[in-house]
Amino acid sequence: MCGVVGIVSASPVNQQIYDALLALQHRGQDSAGMVTWDDVHRLNLRKGNGLVRDVFEERHMQRLRGNMGVGHVRYPTAGTSSAAEAQPMYVNAPYGISLAHNGNLTNAARLEMDVFRAGLRHVNTTSDSEILLNVFAHELHKIGVFDPGPEHVFEAIAGVNRRCRGAYAAVAMINGRGIAAFRDRHGIRPLAFGVREVEDGEGGRRQDVVVASESSAINILGFDFVRDIQPGEAIFIDLGGEYVTQRCAPAAAHTPCIFEHVYLAREDSIMDEVSVYKARLRMGEKLAQRILAQFGKDHDIDVVIPIPESSRTCAIPLAYALGVKFREGFVKNRYIGRTFIMPGQSQRTKSVQQKLNAIELEFQGKNVLLVEDSIVRGTTTGEIVRQARKAGARKVFMAVAAPPVRYPNVYGIDMPAAHEFLANARTEEEIAEAIGVDWLVYQSIEDLVSAAAEGNSKLRRFECSVFDGKYVTGDIDGDYLAHLSQARSDTVKRSRDAEHVGDATVIELHNHA
Protein backbone atom coordinates (compact mmCIF):
# COMPACT_ATOMS: atom_id res chain seq x y z
CA MET A 1 0.00 0.00 0.00
CA CYS A 2 1.61 3.19 -1.25
CA GLY A 3 0.41 6.46 -2.72
CA VAL A 4 1.52 7.88 -6.08
CA VAL A 5 0.96 11.18 -7.86
CA GLY A 6 2.14 12.74 -11.12
CA ILE A 7 1.40 16.25 -12.39
CA VAL A 8 2.03 18.13 -15.65
CA SER A 9 1.22 21.82 -15.20
CA ALA A 10 1.66 25.31 -16.60
CA SER A 11 3.04 26.36 -13.21
CA PRO A 12 5.44 24.90 -10.62
CA VAL A 13 4.29 21.53 -9.30
CA ASN A 14 6.29 21.24 -6.06
CA GLN A 15 3.56 22.59 -3.77
CA GLN A 16 0.86 20.70 -5.66
CA ILE A 17 2.69 17.39 -5.30
CA TYR A 18 3.39 18.12 -1.63
CA ASP A 19 -0.32 18.74 -0.99
CA ALA A 20 -1.26 15.59 -2.88
CA LEU A 21 1.19 13.53 -0.83
CA LEU A 22 -0.32 14.93 2.37
CA ALA A 23 -3.72 13.80 1.10
CA LEU A 24 -2.25 10.34 0.45
CA GLN A 25 -0.23 10.12 3.68
CA HIS A 26 -2.56 7.42 5.05
CA ARG A 27 -1.28 5.10 2.30
CA GLY A 28 2.30 5.13 3.58
CA GLN A 29 4.18 6.65 6.49
CA ASP A 30 7.57 5.02 6.07
CA SER A 31 9.02 7.39 3.46
CA ALA A 32 8.15 10.15 1.03
CA GLY A 33 9.72 11.47 -2.15
CA MET A 34 9.33 13.89 -5.04
CA VAL A 35 11.18 14.49 -8.29
CA THR A 36 10.62 17.39 -10.70
CA TRP A 37 11.87 18.32 -14.18
CA ASP A 38 12.80 21.97 -14.60
CA ASP A 39 13.17 24.42 -17.48
CA VAL A 40 16.95 23.92 -17.68
CA HIS A 41 16.42 20.21 -18.25
CA ARG A 42 17.52 18.99 -14.86
CA LEU A 43 15.99 16.58 -12.37
CA ASN A 44 15.45 17.77 -8.82
CA LEU A 45 14.93 14.97 -6.32
CA ARG A 46 14.22 14.82 -2.61
CA LYS A 47 13.24 11.64 -0.77
CA GLY A 48 13.82 10.10 2.63
CA ASN A 49 12.36 8.21 5.55
CA GLY A 50 9.55 9.84 7.49
CA LEU A 51 6.28 11.67 7.00
CA VAL A 52 5.76 14.16 4.19
CA ARG A 53 5.99 17.11 6.58
CA ASP A 54 9.34 15.86 7.90
CA VAL A 55 11.00 14.95 4.59
CA PHE A 56 10.26 18.26 2.81
CA GLU A 57 11.44 21.51 4.36
CA GLU A 58 11.25 24.95 2.77
CA ARG A 59 14.82 24.77 1.46
CA HIS A 60 14.04 21.47 -0.25
CA MET A 61 10.86 22.82 -1.80
CA GLN A 62 12.76 25.75 -3.29
CA ARG A 63 15.08 23.34 -5.09
CA LEU A 64 12.22 21.23 -6.46
CA ARG A 65 11.73 23.50 -9.47
CA GLY A 66 9.75 22.60 -12.55
CA ASN A 67 6.29 22.21 -14.03
CA MET A 68 6.31 18.42 -14.18
CA GLY A 69 6.94 15.86 -11.47
CA VAL A 70 5.97 12.72 -9.61
CA GLY A 71 5.66 11.92 -5.91
CA HIS A 72 5.32 8.91 -3.64
CA VAL A 73 4.53 7.91 -0.06
CA ARG A 74 5.59 4.43 0.95
CA TYR A 75 5.47 1.73 3.47
CA PRO A 76 7.59 -1.30 2.69
CA THR A 77 5.55 -4.06 1.06
CA ALA A 78 8.80 -5.79 0.13
CA GLY A 79 12.39 -4.96 0.85
CA THR A 80 13.51 -2.85 3.79
CA SER A 81 12.77 0.52 5.36
CA SER A 82 16.08 1.88 4.08
CA ALA A 83 16.00 5.38 2.60
CA ALA A 84 17.67 3.94 -0.49
CA GLU A 85 14.35 2.23 -1.28
CA ALA A 86 12.28 5.40 -0.94
CA GLN A 87 10.65 6.46 -4.20
CA PRO A 88 10.54 7.81 -6.87
CA MET A 89 13.32 5.68 -8.34
CA TYR A 90 15.42 6.75 -11.32
CA VAL A 91 17.33 5.30 -14.28
CA ASN A 92 19.25 7.52 -16.68
CA ALA A 93 18.59 5.54 -19.87
CA PRO A 94 16.70 5.85 -22.03
CA TYR A 95 15.95 9.58 -21.73
CA GLY A 96 15.96 9.50 -17.91
CA ILE A 97 12.93 7.93 -16.23
CA SER A 98 11.62 8.41 -12.68
CA LEU A 99 8.97 6.01 -11.41
CA ALA A 100 6.61 5.79 -8.43
CA HIS A 101 4.82 2.49 -7.89
CA ASN A 102 1.99 1.12 -5.76
CA GLY A 103 1.56 -2.65 -5.68
CA ASN A 104 3.69 -5.75 -5.75
CA LEU A 105 5.15 -7.87 -8.55
CA THR A 106 4.60 -11.56 -7.93
CA ASN A 107 7.33 -12.61 -10.40
CA ALA A 108 9.93 -10.11 -9.18
CA ALA A 109 12.69 -12.69 -8.65
CA ARG A 110 12.44 -13.94 -12.24
CA LEU A 111 12.25 -10.40 -13.62
CA GLU A 112 15.39 -9.34 -11.76
CA MET A 113 17.34 -12.05 -13.55
CA ASP A 114 15.72 -11.15 -16.86
CA VAL A 115 16.56 -7.45 -16.73
CA PHE A 116 20.22 -8.31 -16.27
CA ARG A 117 20.35 -11.00 -18.94
CA ALA A 118 18.35 -9.05 -21.51
CA GLY A 119 19.50 -5.49 -20.79
CA LEU A 120 22.56 -5.82 -18.54
CA ARG A 121 20.67 -3.74 -15.97
CA HIS A 122 21.76 -4.00 -12.35
CA VAL A 123 19.07 -3.79 -9.64
CA ASN A 124 20.60 -2.23 -6.55
CA THR A 125 17.81 -2.62 -3.97
CA THR A 126 15.42 -5.32 -2.81
CA SER A 127 12.45 -3.28 -4.04
CA ASP A 128 10.28 -4.69 -6.82
CA SER A 129 9.59 -1.08 -7.83
CA GLU A 130 13.16 -0.78 -9.09
CA ILE A 131 12.58 -3.95 -11.11
CA LEU A 132 9.40 -2.52 -12.62
CA LEU A 133 11.27 0.68 -13.52
CA ASN A 134 14.03 -1.28 -15.28
CA VAL A 135 11.56 -3.43 -17.18
CA PHE A 136 9.80 -0.29 -18.44
CA ALA A 137 13.11 1.36 -19.31
CA HIS A 138 14.27 -1.73 -21.19
CA GLU A 139 11.03 -1.96 -23.17
CA LEU A 140 11.24 1.73 -24.10
CA HIS A 141 14.92 1.40 -25.01
CA LYS A 142 14.15 -1.48 -27.40
CA ILE A 143 11.92 0.82 -29.47
CA GLY A 144 14.96 3.00 -30.11
CA VAL A 145 13.49 6.35 -31.18
CA PHE A 146 15.08 9.69 -30.34
CA ASP A 147 11.83 11.52 -29.55
CA PRO A 148 9.19 9.04 -28.31
CA GLY A 149 5.53 9.82 -28.76
CA PRO A 150 2.50 8.32 -27.03
CA GLU A 151 2.46 5.35 -29.40
CA HIS A 152 6.03 4.42 -28.41
CA VAL A 153 5.29 4.78 -24.71
CA PHE A 154 2.18 2.62 -25.02
CA GLU A 155 4.17 -0.01 -26.91
CA ALA A 156 6.67 -0.10 -24.04
CA ILE A 157 3.90 -0.37 -21.44
CA ALA A 158 2.37 -3.25 -23.41
CA GLY A 159 5.75 -4.95 -23.09
CA VAL A 160 5.71 -4.34 -19.33
CA ASN A 161 2.26 -5.93 -19.11
CA ARG A 162 3.44 -9.00 -21.01
CA ARG A 163 6.35 -9.52 -18.62
CA CYS A 164 5.10 -8.37 -15.22
CA ARG A 165 2.69 -10.30 -13.01
CA GLY A 166 0.93 -9.08 -9.92
CA ALA A 167 -0.47 -5.68 -8.99
CA TYR A 168 0.88 -2.34 -10.09
CA ALA A 169 -0.36 1.21 -10.43
CA ALA A 170 2.62 3.26 -11.60
CA VAL A 171 3.44 6.82 -12.61
CA ALA A 172 6.60 7.38 -14.67
CA MET A 173 8.13 10.73 -15.69
CA ILE A 174 10.15 10.65 -18.92
CA ASN A 175 12.58 13.57 -18.95
CA GLY A 176 11.56 16.30 -21.35
CA ARG A 177 8.68 14.27 -22.82
CA GLY A 178 5.91 13.89 -20.27
CA ILE A 179 4.34 11.54 -17.76
CA ALA A 180 3.01 8.04 -18.35
CA ALA A 181 0.82 6.15 -15.89
CA PHE A 182 -0.49 2.61 -16.12
CA ARG A 183 -2.45 0.00 -14.20
CA ASP A 184 -2.21 -3.79 -14.16
CA ARG A 185 -4.65 -5.80 -16.26
CA HIS A 186 -6.74 -6.83 -13.23
CA GLY A 187 -6.99 -3.29 -11.83
CA ILE A 188 -6.05 -4.49 -8.35
CA ARG A 189 -4.48 -1.25 -7.13
CA PRO A 190 -6.30 2.07 -7.74
CA LEU A 191 -5.30 4.90 -10.10
CA ALA A 192 -7.27 7.87 -11.45
CA PHE A 193 -6.73 11.17 -13.24
CA GLY A 194 -8.17 14.68 -13.38
CA VAL A 195 -7.79 17.94 -15.30
CA ARG A 196 -7.90 21.65 -14.59
CA GLU A 197 -8.15 24.44 -17.16
CA VAL A 198 -5.64 27.26 -16.66
CA GLU A 199 -4.06 30.20 -18.49
CA ASP A 200 -1.00 29.25 -20.52
CA GLY A 201 0.88 32.51 -19.82
CA GLU A 202 0.55 33.65 -23.44
CA GLY A 203 -3.06 34.79 -23.38
CA GLY A 204 -4.46 31.36 -24.18
CA ARG A 205 -5.81 28.42 -22.22
CA ARG A 206 -4.46 24.94 -21.57
CA GLN A 207 -5.07 22.18 -19.08
CA ASP A 208 -3.07 20.81 -16.21
CA VAL A 209 -3.36 17.05 -15.67
CA VAL A 210 -2.89 15.01 -12.48
CA VAL A 211 -2.72 11.26 -11.92
CA ALA A 212 -3.09 9.95 -8.36
CA SER A 213 -3.91 6.86 -6.33
CA GLU A 214 -7.17 8.30 -5.02
CA SER A 215 -9.72 10.79 -6.33
CA SER A 216 -9.63 12.66 -3.01
CA ALA A 217 -6.08 13.85 -3.77
CA ILE A 218 -7.26 15.03 -7.19
CA ASN A 219 -10.17 16.99 -5.73
CA ILE A 220 -8.10 18.54 -2.94
CA LEU A 221 -5.76 20.07 -5.54
CA GLY A 222 -8.71 21.74 -7.29
CA PHE A 223 -8.69 19.44 -10.32
CA ASP A 224 -11.85 18.03 -11.86
CA PHE A 225 -11.92 14.26 -11.47
CA VAL A 226 -12.22 12.68 -14.93
CA ARG A 227 -12.26 8.93 -14.27
CA ASP A 228 -10.34 5.90 -13.08
CA ILE A 229 -7.64 4.52 -15.32
CA GLN A 230 -9.05 1.20 -16.42
CA PRO A 231 -7.37 -2.20 -15.88
CA GLY A 232 -4.60 -2.64 -18.42
CA GLU A 233 -4.98 0.97 -19.57
CA ALA A 234 -2.27 3.64 -19.77
CA ILE A 235 -2.30 7.42 -20.06
CA PHE A 236 0.42 9.64 -21.52
CA ILE A 237 0.49 13.38 -20.75
CA ASP A 238 2.80 15.63 -22.77
CA LEU A 239 4.44 18.84 -21.55
CA GLY A 240 1.57 20.91 -22.94
CA GLY A 241 -1.03 19.08 -20.86
CA GLU A 242 -2.49 17.07 -23.75
CA TYR A 243 -3.23 13.48 -22.82
CA VAL A 244 -3.96 10.24 -24.66
CA THR A 245 -5.19 6.95 -23.20
CA GLN A 246 -4.92 3.44 -24.60
CA ARG A 247 -5.46 -0.12 -23.44
CA CYS A 248 -2.08 -1.83 -23.31
CA ALA A 249 -2.98 -5.30 -22.04
CA PRO A 250 -5.49 -8.00 -23.00
CA ALA A 251 -8.82 -7.81 -21.24
CA ALA A 252 -9.06 -9.56 -17.87
CA ALA A 253 -11.69 -9.70 -15.15
CA HIS A 254 -11.68 -6.38 -13.28
CA THR A 255 -10.90 -7.33 -9.68
CA PRO A 256 -10.05 -4.30 -7.51
CA CYS A 257 -8.80 -4.89 -3.98
CA ILE A 258 -11.71 -5.11 -1.52
CA PHE A 259 -9.41 -4.07 1.35
CA GLU A 260 -9.26 -0.56 -0.12
CA HIS A 261 -12.92 -0.17 0.85
CA VAL A 262 -12.53 -1.87 4.21
CA TYR A 263 -9.53 0.04 5.49
CA LEU A 264 -6.95 1.48 3.12
CA ALA A 265 -8.67 4.30 1.23
CA ARG A 266 -9.93 7.67 2.40
CA GLU A 267 -13.69 7.84 2.78
CA ASP A 268 -13.98 10.81 0.45
CA SER A 269 -12.48 8.84 -2.44
CA ILE A 270 -14.32 7.28 -5.35
CA MET A 271 -12.68 4.08 -6.57
CA ASP A 272 -13.81 2.34 -9.74
CA GLU A 273 -17.03 4.38 -9.53
CA VAL A 274 -17.70 3.19 -5.97
CA SER A 275 -17.88 5.67 -3.10
CA VAL A 276 -15.72 4.38 -0.26
CA TYR A 277 -17.98 6.21 2.19
CA LYS A 278 -21.16 4.64 0.83
CA ALA A 279 -19.57 1.19 0.75
CA ARG A 280 -18.70 1.47 4.45
CA LEU A 281 -22.23 2.60 5.28
CA ARG A 282 -23.57 -0.50 3.55
CA MET A 283 -21.08 -2.66 5.45
CA GLY A 284 -22.63 -1.40 8.69
CA GLU A 285 -26.16 -2.12 7.52
CA LYS A 286 -25.28 -5.67 6.52
CA LEU A 287 -23.33 -6.29 9.71
CA ALA A 288 -26.38 -5.22 11.76
CA GLN A 289 -28.50 -7.77 9.93
CA ARG A 290 -26.03 -10.52 10.86
CA ILE A 291 -26.22 -9.52 14.53
CA LEU A 292 -30.03 -9.44 14.45
CA ALA A 293 -30.12 -12.82 12.69
CA GLN A 294 -27.89 -14.34 15.36
CA PHE A 295 -29.19 -12.67 18.53
CA GLY A 296 -32.53 -11.11 17.57
CA LYS A 297 -33.78 -7.91 19.12
CA ASP A 298 -32.70 -9.19 22.55
CA HIS A 299 -29.05 -8.61 21.70
CA ASP A 300 -28.35 -7.01 25.10
CA ILE A 301 -26.36 -4.12 23.57
CA ASP A 302 -26.59 -0.75 25.35
CA VAL A 303 -24.29 1.32 23.15
CA VAL A 304 -22.31 1.06 19.89
CA ILE A 305 -18.81 2.53 19.99
CA PRO A 306 -16.51 2.63 16.93
CA ILE A 307 -12.79 2.06 17.12
CA PRO A 308 -11.44 5.17 15.37
CA GLU A 309 -11.33 5.97 12.62
CA SER A 310 -12.18 3.87 9.59
CA SER A 311 -14.87 1.88 11.45
CA ARG A 312 -16.87 4.98 12.40
CA THR A 313 -18.84 5.17 9.15
CA CYS A 314 -19.77 1.50 9.43
CA ALA A 315 -20.83 1.86 13.08
CA ILE A 316 -23.36 4.66 12.52
CA PRO A 317 -25.89 2.71 10.39
CA LEU A 318 -25.21 -0.40 12.46
CA ALA A 319 -26.32 1.37 15.64
CA TYR A 320 -29.38 2.79 13.90
CA ALA A 321 -30.44 -0.63 12.59
CA LEU A 322 -30.00 -2.18 16.06
CA GLY A 323 -31.96 0.61 17.69
CA VAL A 324 -29.27 1.53 20.21
CA LYS A 325 -27.20 4.61 20.97
CA PHE A 326 -24.10 5.51 18.97
CA ARG A 327 -21.37 7.10 21.04
CA GLU A 328 -17.74 8.10 20.62
CA GLY A 329 -15.96 6.23 23.39
CA PHE A 330 -12.33 6.72 22.43
CA VAL A 331 -10.26 9.85 21.94
CA LYS A 332 -7.59 9.40 19.30
CA ASN A 333 -4.19 11.04 19.20
CA ARG A 334 -3.99 11.91 15.52
CA TYR A 335 -0.23 12.24 15.63
CA ILE A 336 0.37 8.52 16.10
CA GLY A 337 0.82 6.52 12.90
CA ARG A 338 -1.44 3.72 11.68
CA THR A 339 -0.55 0.62 13.69
CA PHE A 340 -1.45 -1.69 10.81
CA ILE A 341 1.59 -0.52 8.87
CA MET A 342 4.08 -0.26 11.71
CA PRO A 343 6.94 -2.77 11.75
CA GLY A 344 7.39 -4.85 14.87
CA GLN A 345 4.97 -6.10 17.51
CA SER A 346 6.40 -4.04 20.37
CA GLN A 347 6.15 -0.83 18.36
CA ARG A 348 2.53 -1.55 17.46
CA THR A 349 1.56 -2.33 21.08
CA LYS A 350 3.18 0.83 22.40
CA SER A 351 1.52 2.88 19.66
CA VAL A 352 -1.94 1.54 20.51
CA GLN A 353 -1.49 2.49 24.16
CA GLN A 354 -0.53 6.02 23.16
CA LYS A 355 -3.06 6.41 20.33
CA LEU A 356 -6.42 5.76 22.02
CA ASN A 357 -7.82 6.71 25.41
CA ALA A 358 -11.24 5.63 26.66
CA ILE A 359 -13.96 8.06 27.81
CA GLU A 360 -15.01 6.25 30.98
CA LEU A 361 -18.53 7.76 31.16
CA GLU A 362 -19.47 5.96 27.94
CA PHE A 363 -18.40 2.56 29.30
CA GLN A 364 -19.28 2.43 32.99
CA GLY A 365 -21.86 -0.25 33.70
CA LYS A 366 -22.80 -0.73 30.05
CA ASN A 367 -22.85 -3.60 27.58
CA VAL A 368 -20.73 -2.15 24.78
CA LEU A 369 -20.56 -3.24 21.15
CA LEU A 370 -17.20 -2.20 19.73
CA VAL A 371 -17.05 -1.92 15.93
CA GLU A 372 -13.78 -2.62 14.13
CA ASP A 373 -13.06 -2.48 10.39
CA SER A 374 -10.84 -5.59 10.42
CA ILE A 375 -8.64 -7.67 12.68
CA VAL A 376 -5.20 -8.68 11.42
CA ARG A 377 -2.72 -9.42 14.23
CA GLY A 378 -5.17 -8.49 16.98
CA THR A 379 -2.63 -6.23 18.70
CA THR A 380 -4.82 -3.13 18.48
CA THR A 381 -8.07 -4.95 19.12
CA GLY A 382 -6.97 -6.80 22.24
CA GLU A 383 -5.53 -3.66 23.79
CA ILE A 384 -8.72 -1.68 23.06
CA VAL A 385 -10.90 -4.38 24.64
CA ARG A 386 -8.72 -4.18 27.76
CA GLN A 387 -9.19 -0.41 27.82
CA ALA A 388 -12.97 -0.81 27.52
CA ARG A 389 -13.11 -3.20 30.47
CA LYS A 390 -10.79 -1.01 32.53
CA ALA A 391 -13.13 1.93 31.81
CA GLY A 392 -15.97 -0.01 33.48
CA ALA A 393 -17.81 -1.85 30.70
CA ARG A 394 -20.00 -4.65 32.10
CA LYS A 395 -19.79 -6.67 28.87
CA VAL A 396 -17.78 -6.08 25.70
CA PHE A 397 -18.96 -7.38 22.31
CA MET A 398 -17.20 -6.98 18.97
CA ALA A 399 -18.53 -6.57 15.41
CA VAL A 400 -16.06 -6.60 12.53
CA ALA A 401 -16.89 -5.07 9.14
CA ALA A 402 -14.72 -7.61 7.29
CA PRO A 403 -14.40 -11.42 7.41
CA PRO A 404 -11.52 -13.08 9.30
CA VAL A 405 -8.12 -12.33 7.74
CA ARG A 406 -6.51 -15.75 7.27
CA TYR A 407 -4.30 -15.52 4.17
CA PRO A 408 -1.30 -13.37 3.13
CA ASN A 409 -1.75 -10.53 0.68
CA VAL A 410 0.64 -10.69 -2.28
CA TYR A 411 -0.56 -7.59 -4.16
CA GLY A 412 0.87 -4.69 -2.19
CA ILE A 413 -0.37 -4.91 1.41
CA ASP A 414 2.36 -5.90 3.85
CA MET A 415 0.34 -8.20 6.03
CA PRO A 416 2.31 -10.42 8.41
CA ALA A 417 3.37 -14.01 8.07
CA ALA A 418 0.36 -16.35 8.03
CA HIS A 419 1.09 -17.73 11.50
CA GLU A 420 0.95 -14.17 12.91
CA PHE A 421 -2.70 -13.64 11.88
CA LEU A 422 -4.98 -13.74 14.88
CA ALA A 423 -7.50 -15.81 12.89
CA ASN A 424 -4.91 -18.36 11.81
CA ALA A 425 -6.07 -21.84 12.88
CA ARG A 426 -8.69 -20.31 15.23
CA THR A 427 -12.47 -20.48 15.21
CA GLU A 428 -14.47 -17.31 15.75
CA GLU A 429 -15.13 -18.41 19.34
CA GLU A 430 -11.40 -18.86 19.92
CA ILE A 431 -10.70 -15.43 18.41
CA ALA A 432 -13.28 -13.90 20.76
CA GLU A 433 -11.54 -15.53 23.71
CA ALA A 434 -8.11 -14.36 22.50
CA ILE A 435 -9.12 -10.69 22.34
CA GLY A 436 -11.23 -10.89 25.50
CA VAL A 437 -14.77 -10.17 24.23
CA ASP A 438 -18.01 -11.83 25.30
CA TRP A 439 -19.01 -12.52 21.69
CA LEU A 440 -17.76 -11.68 18.24
CA VAL A 441 -19.52 -11.29 14.88
CA TYR A 442 -17.67 -11.05 11.57
CA GLN A 443 -19.03 -9.80 8.26
CA SER A 444 -19.55 -12.51 5.64
CA ILE A 445 -17.47 -12.27 2.48
CA GLU A 446 -20.66 -12.29 0.39
CA ASP A 447 -22.06 -9.28 2.27
CA LEU A 448 -18.72 -7.46 2.08
CA VAL A 449 -18.51 -7.87 -1.70
CA SER A 450 -22.14 -6.88 -2.07
CA ALA A 451 -21.59 -3.71 -0.03
CA ALA A 452 -18.85 -2.56 -2.41
CA ALA A 453 -20.28 -3.87 -5.68
CA GLU A 454 -23.61 -2.13 -5.13
CA GLY A 455 -21.94 1.13 -6.10
CA ASN A 456 -20.98 -0.12 -9.59
CA SER A 457 -23.12 -2.71 -11.35
CA LYS A 458 -20.27 -3.47 -13.78
CA LEU A 459 -18.08 -4.83 -10.98
CA ARG A 460 -18.72 -8.55 -10.63
CA ARG A 461 -15.86 -9.57 -8.35
CA PHE A 462 -13.16 -8.19 -6.07
CA GLU A 463 -9.68 -9.29 -5.05
CA CYS A 464 -10.46 -10.89 -1.67
CA SER A 465 -7.46 -13.16 -1.19
CA VAL A 466 -6.82 -12.15 2.43
CA PHE A 467 -10.24 -13.59 3.27
CA ASP A 468 -10.67 -16.49 0.82
CA GLY A 469 -7.11 -17.41 -0.27
CA LYS A 470 -7.98 -17.04 -3.98
CA TYR A 471 -5.28 -15.16 -5.91
CA VAL A 472 -6.60 -13.66 -9.13
CA THR A 473 -3.29 -13.66 -11.04
CA GLY A 474 -3.15 -17.45 -10.91
CA ASP A 475 0.58 -17.66 -10.22
CA ILE A 476 0.63 -18.12 -6.43
CA ASP A 477 1.46 -21.52 -5.00
CA GLY A 478 2.50 -22.98 -1.65
CA ASP A 479 6.20 -22.36 -2.21
CA TYR A 480 5.58 -18.70 -2.99
CA LEU A 481 3.47 -18.25 0.15
CA ALA A 482 6.02 -20.08 2.31
CA HIS A 483 8.80 -17.79 1.09
CA LEU A 484 6.56 -14.74 1.62
CA SER A 485 5.66 -15.81 5.14
CA GLN A 486 9.32 -16.17 6.05
CA ALA A 487 10.20 -12.75 4.63
CA ARG A 488 7.35 -10.96 6.38
CA SER A 489 7.62 -12.29 9.92
CA ASP A 490 8.27 -9.67 12.60
CA THR A 491 11.50 -11.44 13.58
CA VAL A 492 12.90 -11.20 10.06
CA LYS A 493 11.82 -7.57 9.71
CA ARG A 494 13.54 -6.54 12.93
CA SER A 495 16.74 -8.25 11.86
CA ARG A 496 16.61 -6.82 8.35
CA ASP A 497 15.88 -3.26 9.40
CA ALA A 498 18.64 -3.40 12.02
CA GLU A 499 21.11 -3.79 9.17
CA HIS A 500 20.08 -0.36 7.87
CA VAL A 501 20.24 1.63 11.10
CA GLY A 502 23.22 3.55 9.80
CA ASP A 503 21.74 4.30 6.40
CA ALA A 504 21.40 7.88 5.21
CA THR A 505 17.93 9.20 5.93
CA VAL A 506 17.54 11.34 2.82
CA ILE A 507 18.60 11.35 -0.80
CA GLU A 508 18.79 14.52 -2.87
CA LEU A 509 19.61 15.32 -6.46
CA HIS A 510 19.32 18.87 -7.69
CA ASN A 511 20.82 21.41 -10.04
CA HIS A 512 23.37 23.62 -8.32
CA ALA A 513 23.44 26.26 -11.05
Side-chain angles (χ1 to χ4, degrees), residues 184-202:
D184 71 81
R185 61 194 296 263
H186 296 279
I188 298 172
R189 301 263 69 87
L191 197 62
F193 73 99
V195 300
R196 176 180 60 196
E197 189 172 297
V198 296
E199 295 181 0
D200 64 4
E202 299 178 357

Side-chain angles (χ1 to χ4, degrees), residues 1 75-78 340 377 409 412-416 488 493 496:
M1 185 183 74
Y75 90 108
T77 304
F340 176 84
R377 295 175 175 88
N409 183 281
I413 306 174
D414 188 23
M415 289 186 169
R488 287 184 176 179
K493 286 180 180 178
R496 184 178 60 200

Side-chain angles (χ1 to χ4, degrees), residues 163-175:
R163 297 173 62 183
C164 295
R165 304 293 296 270
Y168 46 91
V171 179
M173 181 174 70
I174 306 171
N175 291 357

Side-chain angles (χ1 to χ4, degrees), residues 269-286:
S269 288
I270 306 290
M271 289 186 165
D272 297 302
E273 302 178 35
V274 177
S275 163
V276 175
Y277 175 73
K278 292 287 189 181
R280 289 178 184 168
L281 287 176
R282 291 189 288 267
M283 290 176 201
E285 294 168 354
K286 294 179 183 298

Side-chain angles (χ1 to χ4, degrees), residues 386-440:
R386 284 188 286 275
Q387 285 193 27
R389 293 199 184 278
K390 185 178 179 181
R394 185 168 61 244
K395 293 182 180 179
V396 180
F397 313 124
M398 176 73 66
V400 187
V405 175
R406 300 187 188 277
Y407 304 93
N409 183 281
V410 302
Y411 300 126
I413 306 174
D414 188 23
M415 289 186 169
H419 68 272
E420 293 174 351
F421 289 126
L422 179 64
N424 181 60
R426 286 190 176 100
T427 65
E428 293 187 15
E429 291 75 17
E430 289 170 336
I431 296 170
E433 182 179 357
I435 62 176
V437 295
D438 294 277
W439 55 252
L440 169 70

